[in-house]
Amino acid sequence: MNRLIVLFAVIMCGTLNMHAQFKVVDADDGLPLPGAFVFNSSNKLLGMTDANGMAASYHGKVKVSMMSYNSTIVDADTCHGVVRLIPSPYSLPNVAVTNKEYIKISGALRDVVTNGDSIILYREGLVDFYINVKNKDITRRIRACRQYEKPLLRKVSMKHYYVDNGNTIHLGRFRSLNIDSVSNNKGDTVVYAASYNGRKSRDGIVEVIKDGMRRVIIDNCQFQKLDFKLFGMSVRTLQSFNDFTYNGDNGRWTSLLSYCKRSIKEFRYSKKSTPINIKEINEFVVTSVESVGKAEAKSEMKNKDITNDFVMPNKFSNYEEFKKEAEENLIIRDFKEFL
């Protein structure tokens, strides 16, 4: 396979209290785990690990958690080494792709946007993706959604809150990233040199194939423009990466299990303003994959009804903690993506 899929995301992070520091890795193979969540004893999200699995410095007992891994609690004051998360993978049944015109991928989504220590947007829902087998076009249909947001967030000035590209995951927005060569190969882990639109990196992609599971981590900062300025405003990307997990080593949509998009950005509304630090986390877990005919797919795609009465699958890391904080501090609104 000489191409992977990548979505260039925009996301951000809050100010942290600095104390001890540790690295989070996979307990089985020792591979660094970027994007692992770190919570305090009150289940408040403190931050996440960087692209090398390194956590910022924290104080006291913290919970380290990540989708498809068992959570663990460590004392950040004494833990200066490695925190090992034990994998708890799940798998889909084998998908029989027929000669029907569409592949339908169903799953659940969760979006969290924080400004400093405060959640300002939380979204959870159910979504279907319809992939045209012939031309590869992808159509998204949001079937269910509960959205919690900061009061007046849709009207508030950027001086106070800023949601940049606060969109729910859409498989149709992915862009192709070329694999140029293997730059490092050790055991079940391969590091690839890659390129996109003239930008090249020797270590932009990390791939792990283990126990029938394929995990691909892409460092978007290697391939995208990190600074953006417009009318005095500026956005600086500090971290941005994608994390795909597949049920198998072929990387096809029919074997996709989960996808996480995370990044950290710094926003200024003027040259002299104080930076606004915002973090955005988007997660998508697949619950079913099937082949559907053209008539059935077209009929379902036309249905724009969105319900807020549904049950989320319990496949997300710290799902209840995120939801509880959102319900306590935000107001519920109808589904809307912030552009």
Side-chain angles (χ1 to χ4, degrees):
M1 176 176 140
N2 61 1
R3 296 176 74 82
L4 290 176
I5 306 301
V6 62
L7 175 65
F8 294 116
V10 180
I11 321 173
M12 317 181 189
C13 166
T15 302
L16 304 171
N17 294 322
M18 296 299 180
H19 291 84
Q21 191 174 29
F22 53 84
K23 183 176 184 178
V24 180
V25 302
D26 186 301
D28 286 350
D29 56 24
L31 184 74
L33 294 177
F37 300 125
V38 181
F39 297 85
N40 65 12
S41 58
S42 301
N43 288 321
K44 178 179 287 293
L45 178 64
L46 300 177
M48 62 185 180
T49 55
D50 64 17
N52 297 312
M54 295 300 301
S57 297
Y58 302 107
H59 172 66
K61 290 190 176 181
V62 296
K63 179 191 293 184
V64 184
S65 178
M66 188 169 181
M67 187 163 60
S68 298
Y69 287 85
N70 295 327
S71 299
T72 188
I73 296 176
V74 300
D75 189 338
D77 291 323
T78 60
C79 180
H80 297 268
V82 173
V83 174
R84 301 180 184 276
L85 292 188
I86 299 174
S88 58
Y90 60 93
S91 61
L92 291 172
N94 290 329
V95 179
V97 180
T98 68
N99 59 357
K100 293 184 177 179
E101 292 88 351
Y102 284 84
I103 295 171
K104 177 182 176 182
I105 301 178
S106 300
L109 62 91
R110 182 181 66 182
D111 306 317
V112 181
V113 180
T114 61
N115 183 335
D117 293 332
S118 301
I119 289 183
I120 62 174
L121 175 68
Y122 174 88
R123 184 187 293 131
E124 63 182 17
L126 305 178
V127 60
D128 294 331
F129 293 100
Y130 299 86
I131 303 176
N132 188 308
V133 174
K134 185 176 181 180
N135 61 24
K136 311 304 180 185
D137 286 346
I138 301 177
T139 301
R140 186 188 67 177
R141 175 197 171 202
I142 301 294
R143 292 191 289 114
C145 185
R146 286 185 289 263
Q147 179 158 319
Y148 301 84
E149 58 188 67
K150 194 78 173 179
L152 301 180
L153 177 61
R154 303 186 188 192
K155 298 180 180 179
V156 76
S157 166
M158 288 184 184
K159 292 182 179 181
H160 301 93
Y161 301 101
Y162 179 70
V163 181
D164 181 23
N165 199 25
N167 295 323
T168 290
I169 286 171
H170 192 331
L171 301 184
R173 296 194 184 112
F174 292 163
R175 299 293 179 265
S176 295
L177 184 69
N178 294 326
I179 293 180
D180 296 331
S181 61
V182 173
S183 57
N184 191 4
N185 192 339
K186 183 178 181 180
D188 52 24
T189 302
V190 180
V191 178
Y192 291 99
S195 61
Y196 176 81
N197 276 1
R199 291 177 178 263
K200 297 182 178 182
S201 171
R202 286 185 50 81
D203 56 357
I205 301 171
V206 176
E207 177 187 75
V208 183
I209 299 177
K210 186 178 179 65
D211 299 328
M213 306 285 286
R214 180 173 185 265
R215 187 174 179 217
V216 178
I217 303 168
I218 303 172
D219 183 356
N220 292 336
C221 287
Q222 302 291 329
F223 308 103
Q224 69 184 83
K225 185 177 180 180
L226 301 182
D227 294 298
F228 173 78
K229 297 181 180 180
L230 180 66
F231 303 123
M233 298 183 297
S234 66
V235 179
R236 170 166 293 180
T237 302
L238 305 178
Q239 180 187 108
S240 177
F241 62 87
N242 302 320
D243 191 342
F244 298 86
T245 303
Y246 298 96
N247 182 24
D249 62 359
N250 54 31
R252 298 191 180 102
W253 289 127
T254 52
S255 65
L256 180 68
L257 290 178
S258 65
Y259 169 68
C260 303
K261 179 184 73 174
R262 298 183 179 91
S263 66
I264 297 169
K265 291 202 174 184
E266 179 184 271
F267 169 75
R268 292 176 183 265
Y269 66 90
S270 70
K271 291 182 179 180
K272 297 181 179 180
S273 68
T274 301
I276 300 176
N277 296 311
I278 298 180
K279 178 192 310 174
E280 185 176 339
I281 304 167
N282 305 96
E283 294 186 340
F284 171 63
V285 294
V286 179
T287 54
S288 68
V289 180
E290 61 181 312
S291 294
V292 295
K294 182 177 181 179
E296 180 181 359
K298 292 290 187 181
S299 176
E300 293 181 4
M301 286 188 287
K302 287 180 180 179
N303 186 351
K304 304 300 182 182
D305 294 338
I306 301 177
T307 180
N308 60 7
D309 183 15
F310 62 96
V311 177
M312 285 280 286
N314 189 22
K315 291 186 177 181
F316 289 104
S317 56
N318 284 279
Y319 157 68
E320 288 300 330
E321 283 88 341
F322 276 119
K323 184 176 181 180
K324 184 174 183 295
E325 183 172 352
E327 291 176 336
E328 291 178 351
N329 299 297
L330 307 180
I331 61 173
I332 189 167
R333 296 288 298 273
D334 58 296
F335 172 76
K336 178 181 179 181
E337 294 178 303
F338 294 84
L339 301 177

